[in-house]
Amino acid sequence: EPEVTQTPSHQVTQMGQEVILRCVPISNHLYFYWYRQILGQKVEFLVSFYNNEISEKSEIFDDQFSVERPDGSNFTLKIRSTKLEDSAMYFCASSESGHGVAFFGQGTRLTVV
Amino acid sequence: DQQVKQNSPSLSVQEGRISILNCDYTNSMFDYFLWYKKYPAEGPTFLISISSIKDKNEDGRFTVFLNKSAKHLSLHIVPSQPGDSAVYFCAASGDNTGKLIFGQGTTLQVKP
């Protein structure tokens, strides 16, 4: 069964460093998303991406964040200068349409120290 | 800004009985609702969804009910099994980007 895969599963980084979280969405999906979940809190939307551009972003997704689809398969989230409060589980998701079920990856646990 | 609320942080039921998880929303523009199940250190797994033009959708042991006038939906699991023990998230969408707004989650424990 097709699935969304994310790497790495766990990333530890020093405050102020740049991190890139990687995702391979399901191959025939056209809509891509990043969400995050801070420990003990709910899953929060960060950004949606369609047709090689951001279609919507949340308040959390400030200038420190960027997304890219560098080739036909990968979808990345970059955090330019990490802060302690960026520590969270980051989930990539993809869907066939902009109005359907989103399938999630297993997540990347980002720890900023 | 809690557009989607799950007011019960936890629920405990006996194996074989019915589990009912509830979710309320405030945004009348939401037109598609989903339930996800999540185990620790894993991503949310899609369970079942419902469009706002329906009031019920059933898939095996899982049934979702939607009451648009009350802005309320519920997930029924019957019979409940110990493997159903997980965190259940309600989510809603209402635009063409597919952005999902999640509730806080309800931890379900099914006791053998």
Side-chain angles (χ1 to χ4, degrees), chain A residues 31 33 35 37 41-45 48 55-56 89 91 97-107 109, chain B residues 1-2 4 31-32 34 36 38 41-44 46 49 89 93-100 102-104:
Chain A
Y31 294 79
Y33 312 90
Y35 291 82
Q37 185 183 27
Q41 298 185 23
K42 64 180 179 179
V43 177
E44 300 175 287
F45 168 78
S48 59
S55 47
E56 188 167 355
M89 282 289 288
F91 296 106
S97 75
H99 213 73
V101 177
F103 294 90
F104 285 76
Q106 78 280 19
R109 177 171 297 283
Chain B
D1 177 21
Q2 292 188 33
V4 179
D31 59 3
Y32 193 63
L34 307 91
Y36 285 85
K38 187 179 178 303
E42 292 186 14
F46 170 71
S49 62
F89 289 96
S93 73
D95 62 28
N96 290 329
T97 68
K99 174 184 80 175
L100 296 176
F102 281 84
Q104 306 92 313

Side-chain angles (χ1 to χ4, degrees), chain B residues 1-104:
Chain B
D1 177 21
Q2 292 188 33
Q3 298 186 67
V4 179
K5 295 182 190 178
Q6 293 175 255
N7 291 318
S8 298
S10 63
L11 174 68
S12 181
V13 301
Q14 208 65 35
E15 180 179 6
R17 307 295 290 268
I18 185 170
S19 296
I20 300 176
L21 298 105
N22 294 302
C23 178
D24 298 292
Y25 62 96
T26 56
N27 189 340
S28 56
M29 299 301 290
F30 288 147
D31 59 3
Y32 193 63
F33 303 90
L34 307 91
W35 284 94
Y36 285 85
K37 175 180 178 181
K38 187 179 178 303
Y39 295 114
E42 292 186 14
T45 301
F46 170 71
L47 271 179
I48 192 168
S49 62
I50 188 166
S51 163
S52 60
I53 61 173
K54 296 187 174 182
D55 55 18
K56 177 182 174 181
N57 188 26
E58 192 172 350
D59 183 3
R61 297 186 297 114
F62 302 92
T63 303
V64 56
F65 295 91
L66 175 62
N67 182 334
K68 279 176 59 180
S69 60
K71 294 192 177 69
H72 177 84
L73 63 155
S74 60
L75 174 68
H76 293 211
I77 307 173
V78 57
S80 302
Q81 299 172 354
D84 296 330
S85 299
V87 180
Y88 288 78
F89 289 96
C90 168
S93 73
D95 62 28
N96 290 329
T97 68
K99 174 184 80 175
L100 296 176
I101 305 297
F102 281 84
Q104 306 92 313

Side-chain angles (χ1 to χ4, degrees), chain A residues 43-99:
Chain A
V43 177
E44 300 175 287
F45 168 78
L46 292 177
V47 66
S48 59
F49 191 86
Y50 170 72
N51 201 25
N52 282 322
E53 61 182 22
I54 291 174
S55 47
E56 188 167 355
K57 59 184 181 179
S58 71
E59 296 174 347
I60 304 166
F61 195 89
D62 62 22
D63 292 345
Q64 293 300 310
F65 291 85
S66 63
V67 289
E68 196 177 33
R69 189 154 161 82
D71 53 41
S73 58
N74 290 284
F75 180 51
T76 62
L77 174 70
K78 182 194 291 187
I79 309 175
R80 260 178 273 282
S81 177
T82 49
K83 302 176 230 176
L84 294 176
E85 55 264 38
D86 293 328
S87 296
M89 282 289 288
Y90 287 80
F91 296 106
C92 174
S94 69
S95 65
E96 271 187 292
S97 75
H99 213 73

